[in-house]
Amino acid sequence: MKLPVWSFELLRDTDAPFERVVEKLLDGDRYGDWHPRHSQVNPQLVLKAADRAEIEYRDEPVPGVEEWSRYVVQRSGGRVLLLHVGRFRGLPVLLLMAYWRIKSARLWERFVETL
């Protein structure tokens, strides 16, 4: 039996310093300051270049659900683009996806407020 999969993306931009944004996304102990569902994660730096960084983590937020998240931070002119891609897999996803989408709607706004 195939397990349900649900994905979503959130895109925003900010004028916050690129290095500060990357540093904050790598601080997995402080995710609770801004993340609507996680208080702590173990983020991994996947790519680090002068104008782009990619950070990801995997988690099991509830039994039977696998979560994969990737944050992409990219310089664009005088701004910094923020992209979050989330993918959830498991039977409980069908019941929880609407709730998680609502909880994650202001993810980047909360993140930028803590910089």
Side-chain angles (χ1 to χ4, degrees):
M1 177 173 94
K2 288 183 125 182
L3 293 175
V5 175
W6 175 63
S7 300
F8 73 93
E9 293 184 0
L10 298 170
L11 178 64
R12 299 288 186 272
D13 69 337
T14 182
D15 59 356
F18 176 83
E19 292 300 329
R20 177 68 181 124
V21 170
V22 172
E23 174 188 320
K24 182 85 172 176
L25 287 171
L26 285 171
D27 187 3
D29 293 334
R30 309 268 318 182
Y31 266 49
D33 293 349
W34 57 272
H35 200 284
R37 292 177 291 103
H38 293 296
S39 59
Q40 187 175 23
V41 297
N42 186 21
Q44 305 296 315
L45 185 61
V46 177
L47 171 75
K48 179 71 162 88
D51 63 345
R52 183 180 175 97
E54 295 183 16
I55 299 159
E56 70 178 40
Y57 65 86
R58 296 180 187 276
D59 192 26
E60 188 174 314
V62 297
V65 174
E66 300 169 13
E67 176 184 358
W68 170 85
S69 287
R70 178 170 283 205
Y71 296 101
V72 179
V73 181
Q74 184 169 338
R75 294 180 207 252
S76 178
R79 307 287 292 172
V80 174
L81 297 178
L82 308 169
L83 172 65
H84 173 240
V85 179
R87 185 174 22 198
F88 300 84
R89 181 174 172 235
L91 287 176
V93 167
L94 295 173
L95 299 171
L96 296 170
M97 64 185 177
Y99 173 73
W100 285 333
R101 180 68 175 138
I102 291 167
K103 290 288 283 182
S104 297
R106 291 196 67 251
L107 178 131
W108 283 128
E109 287 81 358
R110 286 189 298 269
F111 175 80
V112 170
E113 288 169 3
T114 65
L115 291 174

